[in-house]
Amino acid sequence: MITELGHFALILAFFVAIVQMIVPLVGAQQRWAGWMAVAEPAATAQFLLVAASFAALTYAFVTSDFSLVLVYSNSHSAKPMLYKISGVWGNHEGSMLLWVLILSLFGAMAAWFGGNLPPSLRARVIGVQASIGVAFLAFTLFTSNPFTRMGVAPMDGTDLNPLLQDPGLAFHPPFLYLGYVGLSICFSFAVAALIEGRVDAAWARWVRPWTLAAWVFLTIGIALGSWWAYYELGWGGFWFWDPVENASFMPWLFAAALLHSAIVVEKREALKSWTVLLAILAFGFSLIGTFIVRSGVLTSVHAFANDPERGVFILGILVFFTGGALTLFAARANVMEAKGVFGLVSRESALVANNILLAVSSFVVFVGTLWPLVAEMAFDRKLSVGAPFFDMAFPPFMVLLGLLMPVGAMIGWKRGKLGRVLKALIPAFVLAVALMGLVWAMQTEKTLLGPVGVFLGTWLVAGAATDLLSRTGQTRDFGRLLRLPRSEWGKSVAHAGLGITMLGIAGLTAWDQEDIRVAQIGQPYAVGAFEIELADVQNVPGPNWFATQGEVIVRQDGAEVARLYPEKRNYPVSRMPTTEAAIDYRFMRDVYVVIGDSQDGGGWVVRTYIKPLANWIWAGCLLMAFGGLLSLSDRRYRVAAGARKSVPAQGVPAE
């Protein structure tokens, strides 16, 4: 009964979304206050109905209602409760319901917190957001219904994919979707502004908090996915340039560009066209990611579905919204005339360069991701574009971006003094060069990757510190730092976080050590500066799996530093094995051990990795997200354009 109510609530949400799409948009066009006022209650009702539907599906998973096809296919009665709950979105249908839930949440939040918006703009934003909801509710109901019943309920389910039965994967999709779908509200603001015929500083102040929130969630989601891949897949890597990884990375790059571009619109009323275009492209690339994940056009270990029919539906959504928005963008180009004028040496120019580097790097990832598909369709050739292409094509843009960021963060608006900024950054540059030279002298393999990464990371961290220090004035009044706006602190913390991530990537990529051997129990062997000994191997049971578990002793300089317990698990219901790496996490390095199969001649296959600075990657990501949250907590974001509340909307009348 509860699942039927959930299905009914989802159908009702679809019809409410249609009303929310049509009535406020017509009301805004005709200046009918009553029709525009429908937007807020409709958005709230849609969210509550979708939330009720999601709660009903969650209840079915928690109670193991195997009469639902989705629960039968993705759950089991012996599964731990955390993975019963995460099983709700650990599949195509349930993840689409989560997508629609977050989509309706952002629409409702625009209604709840959009009191400072002009009524016509708010109505248009909520109406455009509802149109996206209509498309995805239709997709869910007609092609991906999570409430489909089975004729005869089986006694038990077939279990969730074992790779998804992990805490990292339990939290990774919700954060990722909050970022993906959060960019939809930026898209709605852009389209609403184009319809309204006004893009100004007030619009930029309204759109920046939404962009920042989406970027923060996307950062956390990508970091969680990277960390999961590192410790769960047993390969010892943090990023594999998988198509689905790229699908989340491309919108992140565009969101970062949008965030910086909106600053220029707010401060100088320049880059209006570019900022609106970025808002369209950021969500457009989120839709491209959805298409990649769910269409089966590209092979990925992360893909949810391989149904061409669903892929065509999503492709239609992508073409309609992105193509329609770009067409509207071209038609409204005359309303986005820039007002601000700035010199070549200025913060505006630095932010333009920042945007170009981020956008071009995203397009590089896009080309590399989709080129195999293009080659097969256009030239009937099967090609594989892997890590070597991305490792050569992508880093140069990040190197240039890293070099630019400390200078761009400190240079003045309109007309800056480059000499003064470079003089202030001399200590940061000297420190970065010194550490680069030290690393070059100490490393055994003369590779440039490590030293260059250390230089860039140190340059960014020291540059962020220099930026903050410059705010204390010539008298070094550190009390001024406490009075700085939180957005200034957030900017410096986020930039420093990027530097720390670069340091981690450089260390892990340049200096990691790998050892694969058949290890005999009780016979130590050396890996780098460590002595590794396989002490024991035994079989251990789990709640819904059984495992071969090794006991590995790690020694350094003769002293024991860790005992690790790597496992090779087998899930009997799904008949799938997984590798559970054991990791000794330390500040400067990880010792990473994986146990494999037993050998006929005795012994066990053991893979050992020494991973320098591995944790710095995710620490830097969290620091970037924390910087975003600091900026989001700034009072100026909360009040947004309150001063404009009483200004009447100046929309363009219907032709």
Side-chain angles (χ1 to χ4, degrees):
M1 180 63 180
I2 291 179
T3 53
E4 275 70 26
L5 288 175
H7 191 192
F8 178 73
L10 194 63
I11 295 171
L12 194 57
F14 175 62
F15 288 106
V16 171
I18 293 174
V19 173
Q20 180 186 337
M21 173 181 67
I22 296 174
V23 175
L25 288 175
V26 173
Q29 190 66 30
Q30 300 297 326
R31 297 294 188 268
W32 295 340
W35 284 46
M36 288 190 285
V38 170
E40 184 174 348
T44 302
Q46 186 196 156
F47 167 67
L48 293 176
L49 287 167
V50 177
S53 180
F54 189 83
L57 185 62
T58 304
Y59 176 82
F61 270 85
V62 169
T63 59
S64 297
D65 182 2
F66 297 116
S67 65
L68 282 185
V69 173
L70 195 65
V71 178
Y72 167 74
S73 303
N74 296 277
S75 190
H76 190 271
S77 57
K79 192 167 62 173
M81 182 55 69
L82 173 63
Y83 305 132
K84 286 186 178 181
I85 296 173
S86 63
V88 177
W89 54 80
N91 56 81
H92 169 71
E93 291 82 359
S95 65
M96 284 312 307
L97 187 56
L98 177 63
W99 176 287
V100 172
L101 174 66
I102 296 173
L103 190 67
S104 64
L105 171 63
F106 275 97
M109 289 176 68
W112 301 336
F113 304 114
N116 290 335
L117 293 169
S120 61
L121 180 61
R122 181 171 66 161
R124 287 183 167 120
V125 169
I126 297 172
V128 173
Q129 186 76 2
S131 68
I132 304 171
V134 169
F136 278 97
L137 280 165
F139 175 75
T140 303
L141 286 168
F142 300 137
T143 73
S144 310
N145 184 6
F147 295 103
T148 302
R149 288 279 194 184
M150 300 186 71
V152 178
M155 294 296 295
D156 220 326
T158 58
D159 209 358
L160 180 67
N161 185 334
L163 287 175
L164 303 181
Q165 296 187 39
D166 182 89
L169 260 290
F171 299 104
H172 161 64
F175 277 105
L176 202 61
Y177 285 9
L178 283 166
Y180 262 151
V181 185
L183 291 172
S184 66
I185 198 71
C186 306
F187 174 87
S188 296
F189 265 97
V191 173
L194 290 173
I195 298 173
E196 187 94 355
R198 188 182 70 205
V199 178
D200 54 15
W203 175 85
R205 281 194 294 272
W206 290 320
V207 82
R208 277 182 66 196
W210 299 104
T211 307
L212 186 55
W215 180 84
V216 167
F217 285 127
L218 202 51
T219 302
I220 296 172
I222 291 173
L224 284 173
S226 170
W227 183 48
W228 167 81
Y230 172 71
Y231 71 78
E232 176 66 22
L233 297 182
W235 302 338
F238 67 97
W239 194 262
F240 306 100
W241 295 109
D242 179 88
V244 175
E245 289 179 326
N246 297 346
S248 63
F249 192 42
M250 290 184 288
W252 184 86
L253 291 168
F254 273 111
L258 172 61
L259 191 58
H260 290 84
S261 181
I263 298 173
V264 181
V265 179
E266 180 183 348
K267 296 286 187 181
R268 304 290 302 149
E269 292 220 16
L271 302 186
K272 293 180 181 180
S273 298
W274 175 246
T275 303
V276 171
L277 180 61
L278 283 176
I280 295 170
L281 290 177
F283 182 59
F285 272 81
S286 292
L287 293 178
I288 289 172
T290 306
F291 173 70
I292 290 173
V293 173
R294 300 171 194 280
S295 64
V297 296
L298 294 173
T299 303
S300 168
V301 296
H302 303 78
F304 269 124
N306 295 298
D307 187 343
E309 180 184 351
R310 291 169 174 170
V312 170
F313 201 121
I314 295 177
L315 186 62
I317 294 175
L318 168 64
V319 170
F320 177 80
F321 284 101
T322 307
L326 290 174
T327 302
L328 181 61
F329 173 81
R332 289 293 202 182
N334 62 311
V335 305
M336 294 179 288
E337 181 181 355
K339 296 180 180 179
V341 178
F342 52 87
L344 181 62
V345 179
S346 63
R347 187 172 299 188
E348 293 93 331
S349 294
L351 289 172
V352 169
N354 161 290
N355 273 221
I356 292 173
L357 290 169
L358 287 169
V360 172
S361 63
S362 184
F363 278 115
V364 167
V365 177
F366 174 72
V367 170
T369 303
L370 290 187
W371 185 250
L373 178 63
V374 173
E376 185 174 356
M377 293 176 62
F379 311 113
D380 195 25
R381 294 181 59 189
K382 289 188 177 295
L383 298 177
S384 176
V385 177
F389 166 80
F390 294 105
D391 290 343
M392 290 183 63
F394 183 78
F397 298 101
M398 292 297 102
V399 171
L400 291 174
L401 183 65
L403 290 172
L404 174 68
M405 284 174 63
V407 179
M410 293 182 62
I411 203 165
W413 292 99
K414 195 173 181 179
R415 291 182 183 88
K417 296 182 178 180
L418 184 60
R420 179 182 297 178
V421 173
L422 293 179
K423 183 179 179 180
L425 285 168
I426 286 176
F429 181 78
V430 170
L431 176 62
V433 171
L435 287 178
M436 180 178 67
L438 179 64
V439 166
W440 173 262
M442 292 179 62
Q443 67 180 3
T444 55
E445 297 182 7
K446 299 303 181 181
T447 171
L448 278 175
L449 179 60
V452 170
V454 168
F455 171 81
L456 281 175
T458 306
W459 170 244
L460 281 169
V461 174
T466 302
D467 185 16
L468 287 175
L469 190 63
S470 68
R471 306 306 180 94
T472 62
Q474 295 182 350
T475 60
R476 290 294 182 257
D477 179 9
F478 289 94
R480 291 185 178 183
L481 295 179
L482 300 177
R483 298 188 292 272
L484 278 179
R486 291 180 188 172
S487 60
E488 295 296 330
W489 274 99
K491 176 189 70 174
S492 296
V493 169
H495 287 186
L498 179 60
I500 290 173
T501 295
M502 284 186 172
L503 282 167
I505 292 172
L508 182 59
T509 306
W511 305 311
D512 69 319
Q513 297 174 283
E514 178 181 355
D515 179 272
I516 304 175
R517 68 174 66 215
V518 177
Q520 303 293 332
I521 294 178
Q523 296 183 11
Y525 56 93
V527 181
F530 297 91
E531 182 182 85
I532 311 296
E533 179 185 344
L534 180 62
D536 191 20
V537 178
Q538 56 184 340
N539 296 321
V540 291
N544 60 332
W545 48 262
F546 58 86
T548 299
Q549 183 186 80
E551 180 182 358
V552 177
I553 302 173
V554 181
R555 299 185 183 91
Q556 186 175 20
D557 298 327
E560 181 179 319
V561 295
R563 280 182 183 257
L564 304 177
Y565 298 90
E567 295 178 352
K568 185 173 183 180
R569 292 182 182 174
N570 197 297
Y571 290 74
V573 175
S574 59
R575 299 180 182 178
M576 286 183 62
T578 63
T579 299
E580 303 293 326
I583 307 173
D584 178 37
Y585 294 100
R586 298 297 171 98
F587 181 70
M588 294 298 293
R589 56 81 186 153
D590 287 351
V591 176
Y592 185 111
V593 181
V594 179
I595 191 167
D597 298 324
S598 62
Q599 301 300 295
D600 294 337
W604 299 78
V605 174
V606 176
R607 282 181 290 156
T608 308
Y609 304 89
I610 311 300
K611 299 289 185 181
L613 306 183
N615 292 309
W616 292 35
I617 297 173
W618 303 289
C621 290
L622 292 179
L623 203 58
M624 281 191 279
F626 179 66
L629 290 174
L630 273 178
S631 295
L632 200 57
S633 67
D634 194 309
R635 181 177 177 273
R636 291 177 296 177
Y637 280 116
R638 295 197 299 273
V639 299
R644 297 291 298 263
K645 185 176 181 180
S646 60
V647 178
Q650 299 177 1
V652 178
E655 298 293 330

